[in-house]
Amino acid sequence: MMGIQETTTLSPSESELELDFSKEVKKTKSDTLYTMMIAIVVAILTSVAAIYAFESVEGLPLQRRALRELSREVHKLNEKVDSGSFNKHGYLSHLGDDDLTLASLEENFYTPAGITHDVFVKPIHSHNDYWRARPLFDALSLGVQSVEADVWYFPETSDNIYVGHSKRALKTNLLLDNMYLDPLNAILKGANIPQNDSVIAATDSGIHASTKQCGVFDTECDTTLYFFIDFKTDGDHLFDIIHAKFEKFRENGWLSYFNTTSGEFNWGPITVIGTGNTPLEKVLSQGERRDIFLDGPLDKLGGPEDDTVQFAISPVVSASLRMLIQQRKIVEPLTEQQVQQVKTQVDIAHKRGMKTRIWDTPWWPVTTKRGIWKQIIEEIHSDLLNADDLAEAVSFNGNVEGEA
């Protein structure tokens, strides 16, 4: 994992603000586990009792077959509970609405009520993250390492930055601040307790206390969160506003940045990646400290437009699968030639230290989606799996035909 730079301690807590999020996902992990297991056990054991006296089918006694099915179902249930997928939203949550206030996000980070407590990081990209029942929170609670927000700015009306897939989807309460920046600020404040408030500082004379800034993942402090911001309106106007919005993160040392003078890259808790209408000129003109980066074109590596695709500008490069195979229709499985064609681009990126993301992959039929995922992960070795269904992506084990 990538190390996070050492910086100063945090500022005092800000006032608590309430967030407006869905109240549909209420059940706890234990309640759901017991309920589902009891239902499975009752149903299958009832069948076992009914068929116990009969002889075998296909050489295996029916009661033994039923018990084996019970074992399989319980195993699959345990896998879903471990992976965080069970309900109609596709997510298992140990958090209620009271755990998602800014104050709770900060105060409870290192407790069982923490947003990433006992969650391990997975190299998955939450595509259109703002569509989820709980934007940002669903992804973090599953250990997803990358999230994406589409943003809009209309300077003639207000200084607000709206989040949404289209103009029709924009609402006055769906803003970059309250959906992403305020929660991330609270989480990082909770992850980085001031030394004078820590038990270690008081009992160990600061031996283990550090100014190193931890990231949003409780289990993997040194792991960065990739935050893709898709500029939907004019990039020149929007970039300056976005840059100013991240000032408090900058002051606390919570952003990855490239020092243009020393040539050193410093990983931070959050790595901001501009995409869409993000202007390259603005990215390059940030001065000595470059902390908003550009989503580079994976498909252009090795070509005539390759000169600007560098790690210091684009730590992550992306392209659609159609661009990479140069075909409009995607047929699963990809041919050996197509796999090698895409892998060549990914290999170039890896040699330059850049992570890769392949988007616009088939989502249906499910077997086609999973087949492409399997090739992207196991044969092409791309880094961030672009996913709309996070629960399925988190639990995906390479099985194309059966359960994820």
Side-chain angles (χ1 to χ4, degrees):
M1 290 297 176
M2 298 164 288
I4 290 179
Q5 70 186 85
E6 297 194 353
T7 54
T8 57
T9 57
L10 300 180
S11 58
S13 299
E14 298 177 354
S15 61
E16 175 181 353
L17 295 175
E18 294 290 343
L19 298 178
D20 180 22
F21 288 96
S22 170
K23 296 184 178 180
E24 296 180 1
V25 187
K26 292 282 189 177
K27 292 185 179 180
T28 64
K29 180 185 290 186
S30 59
D31 290 339
T32 303
L33 172 60
Y34 288 133
T35 301
M36 295 182 70
M37 288 189 68
I38 289 172
I40 292 172
V41 170
V42 170
I44 297 181
L45 290 184
T46 300
S47 300
V48 170
I51 64 177
Y52 189 84
F54 290 90
E55 293 297 325
S56 64
V57 173
E58 298 178 350
L60 185 65
L62 288 177
Q63 62 268 30
R64 288 175 58 197
R65 292 179 65 236
L67 288 172
R68 178 171 292 182
E69 287 300 315
L70 171 62
S71 176
R72 288 174 179 169
E73 291 300 322
V74 171
H75 177 68
K76 286 193 289 186
L77 174 59
N78 284 332
E79 285 186 333
K80 286 184 177 295
V81 169
D82 290 340
S83 67
S85 58
F86 79 91
N87 63 16
K88 65 181 180 180
H89 295 293
Y91 310 116
L92 181 148
S93 172
H94 62 287
L95 302 172
D97 288 345
D98 291 342
D99 297 312
L100 301 181
T101 64
L102 297 187
S104 295
L105 288 170
E106 178 179 348
E107 295 170 5
N108 296 333
F109 183 82
Y110 289 111
T111 74
I115 185 69
T116 58
H117 177 76
D118 200 25
V119 174
F120 293 90
V121 183
K122 295 98 179 168
I124 295 171
H125 175 77
S126 179
H127 180 236
N128 292 339
D129 181 78
Y130 46 86
W131 272 352
R132 310 200 181 284
R134 303 180 311 173
L136 180 66
F137 297 146
D138 282 336
L140 292 185
S141 66
L142 290 172
V144 171
Q145 193 185 1
S146 180
V147 297
E148 169 190 333
D150 293 358
V151 299
W152 306 72
Y153 175 56
F154 308 103
E156 65 276 9
T157 59
S158 74
D159 287 334
N160 289 329
I161 296 181
Y162 300 94
V163 175
H165 195 66
S166 64
K167 285 185 178 180
R168 292 184 177 183
L170 303 182
K171 296 182 180 298
T172 55
N173 64 327
L174 300 180
L175 305 175
L176 183 65
D177 286 310
N178 70 338
M179 293 178 70
Y180 290 95
L181 299 187
D182 292 342
L184 284 172
N185 181 64
I187 291 169
L188 289 172
K189 288 170 73 174
N192 297 281
I193 304 170
Q195 290 186 30
N196 56 2
D197 291 341
S198 70
V199 174
I200 290 178
T203 59
D204 251 0
S205 299
I207 293 176
H208 299 293
S210 173
T211 57
K212 180 177 69 172
Q213 300 297 286
C214 282
V216 299
F217 299 106
D218 183 359
T219 53
E220 300 186 35
C221 169
D222 290 346
T223 299
T224 195
L225 172 72
Y226 294 102
F227 187 11
F228 282 73
I229 301 181
D230 191 343
F231 287 40
K232 291 299 185 182
T233 50
D234 180 74
D236 289 328
H237 287 95
L238 183 51
F239 189 93
D240 294 337
I241 302 296
I242 292 285
H243 192 272
K245 290 282 187 183
F246 279 101
E247 186 57 35
K248 57 187 173 183
F249 295 86
R250 194 172 290 116
E251 292 175 352
N252 285 311
W254 292 342
L255 298 180
S256 298
Y257 71 94
F258 177 72
N259 188 309
T260 59
T261 300
S262 67
E264 295 179 347
F265 194 100
N266 299 271
W267 290 102
I270 298 176
T271 302
V272 182
I273 308 288
T275 186
N277 291 330
T278 303
L280 173 61
E281 295 76 13
K282 289 283 188 177
V283 172
L284 296 177
S285 63
Q286 293 176 79
E288 184 179 41
R289 181 190 176 103
R290 179 184 301 150
D291 53 28
I292 297 180
F293 300 95
L294 183 69
D295 184 16
L298 175 60
D299 56 311
K300 303 298 183 184
L301 295 180
E305 302 175 42
D306 179 49
D307 55 334
T308 60
V309 189
Q310 307 168 17
F311 175 77
I313 302 171
S314 301
V316 180
V317 288
S318 310
S320 73
L321 184 56
R322 289 178 174 82
M323 291 177 181
L324 291 166
I325 65 174
Q326 298 178 345
Q327 290 187 17
R328 295 185 62 182
K329 185 176 181 180
I330 299 174
V331 179
E332 184 271 328
L334 299 176
T335 66
E336 290 185 11
Q337 180 181 355
Q338 289 173 331
V339 168
Q340 188 55 50
Q341 187 174 348
V342 179
K343 189 175 184 301
T344 296
Q345 300 304 111
V346 170
D347 288 345
I348 294 173
H350 287 169
K351 288 179 181 178
R352 300 181 187 182
M354 297 182 288
K355 300 290 186 182
T356 62
R357 178 177 66 101
I358 299 172
W359 50 274
D360 194 22
T361 58
W363 59 272
W364 192 87
V366 174
T367 53
T368 298
K369 172 177 65 176
R370 292 174 180 169
I372 296 295
W373 277 4
K374 184 178 178 69
Q375 289 185 294
I376 287 175
I377 294 170
E378 298 181 2
E379 299 178 47
I380 296 172
H381 304 300
S382 185
D383 301 288
L384 297 172
L385 180 64
N386 197 79
D388 292 289
D389 187 335
L390 295 186
E392 183 178 16
V394 165
S395 60
F396 182 63
N397 59 7
N399 187 354
V400 175
E401 298 292 338
E403 290 287 334

